[in-house]
Amino acid sequence: MKKQQKRLFFPLFLLLVFTVLLVGCNSNDSSEPEDMSDGDTETTETAEDTVTNEEEATEETETEHEQEMDHEEATEETEEDSDQEMNQEETTEDTESANGTEEENVVTEDVASPLLAQGETTTFTFQDAGVYNIHCDPHPVMKMTVTVEEGAEIEGNIELDIADYEFSEDISVAPGTVITWTNQDSARHNVAIEIGQ
């Protein structure tokens, strides 16, 4: 019987150990939800913090973007102002040129204008008496002569056309005469001036 008691004791002992372990595990499991609820709270708080941080970052990015846009607009306005000032200066220069007051367009040596597209103009002032041979660099067959002499009937500001691959007829002008050539052709021409001997 002692053998039977030992045989019964051992399984009972094991049953008791398993029961204690199961109860112990269940009591740990029951505390975990409490811990998990704390963890859920922390997770929720962390998620809320993350959302708040993302909102703040988005607001900062939007603010930075707005500042960049403001800077770009200011730069564009500055460039537009600069362009307007340059256009006003060019208009003033063109007006001065047409009035003969711009020193760099006074013919004192051989000179040539840039190529002129259709409708574009170039202006030169003829101060000194002499003979000035005019031609077009890309089309050397296009020629005319400007003779500057005291007492000539033509003086002041005059306008001449470049048309049909020709300059106007030869002319005589008084010293200080300002001549503006306008290219009427679709081909590009220029006004090249050589001072005659």
Side-chain angles (χ1 to χ4, degrees), residues 1-19:
M1 194 140 186
K2 277 190 175 189
K3 260 184 174 183
Q4 278 183 338
Q5 283 180 346
K6 280 185 181 179
R7 281 186 186 170
L8 282 176
F9 178 73
F10 185 71
L12 285 175
F13 177 74
L14 284 176
L15 183 63
L16 180 63
V17 169
F18 284 122
T19 306

Side-chain angles (χ1 to χ4, degrees), residues 76-181:
E76 288 175 5
E77 288 175 5
T78 302
E79 288 174 357
E80 288 175 6
D81 291 344
S82 177
D83 288 345
Q84 288 174 350
E85 289 173 9
M86 287 177 60
N87 288 339
Q88 288 173 348
E89 289 173 7
E90 288 174 4
T91 302
T92 302
E93 289 173 5
D94 289 345
T95 303
E96 289 174 352
S97 175
N99 293 330
T101 59
E102 190 174 87
E103 291 298 318
E104 65 186 350
N105 285 331
V106 173
V107 180
T108 58
E109 60 185 7
D110 293 354
V111 64
S113 73
L115 289 176
L116 306 173
Q118 188 172 24
E120 291 183 329
T121 64
T122 189
T123 302
F124 291 99
T125 302
F126 295 86
Q127 292 281 40
D128 300 325
V131 175
Y132 299 85
N133 298 308
I134 314 295
H135 70 274
C136 174
D137 285 329
H139 311 103
V141 296
M142 297 172 56
K143 296 179 182 179
M144 75 173 286
T145 301
V146 174
T147 303
V148 179
E149 57 189 356
E150 291 290 333
E153 291 182 22
I154 300 173
E155 60 182 45
N157 297 332
I158 63 170
E159 294 182 8
L160 301 175
D161 285 339
I162 303 170
D164 300 322
Y165 286 84
E166 294 181 351
F167 287 105
S168 65
E169 296 179 7
D170 295 346
I171 59 171
S172 292
V173 298
T177 300
V178 177
I179 302 176
T180 300
W181 281 273

Side-chain angles (χ1 to χ4, degrees), residues 37-58:
S37 66
D38 290 342
D40 286 345
T41 303
E42 289 176 14
T43 303
T44 303
E45 289 174 4
T46 304
E48 289 174 0
D49 291 343
T50 302
V51 169
T52 303
N53 290 340
E54 287 176 0
E55 289 173 355
E56 290 173 0
T58 301

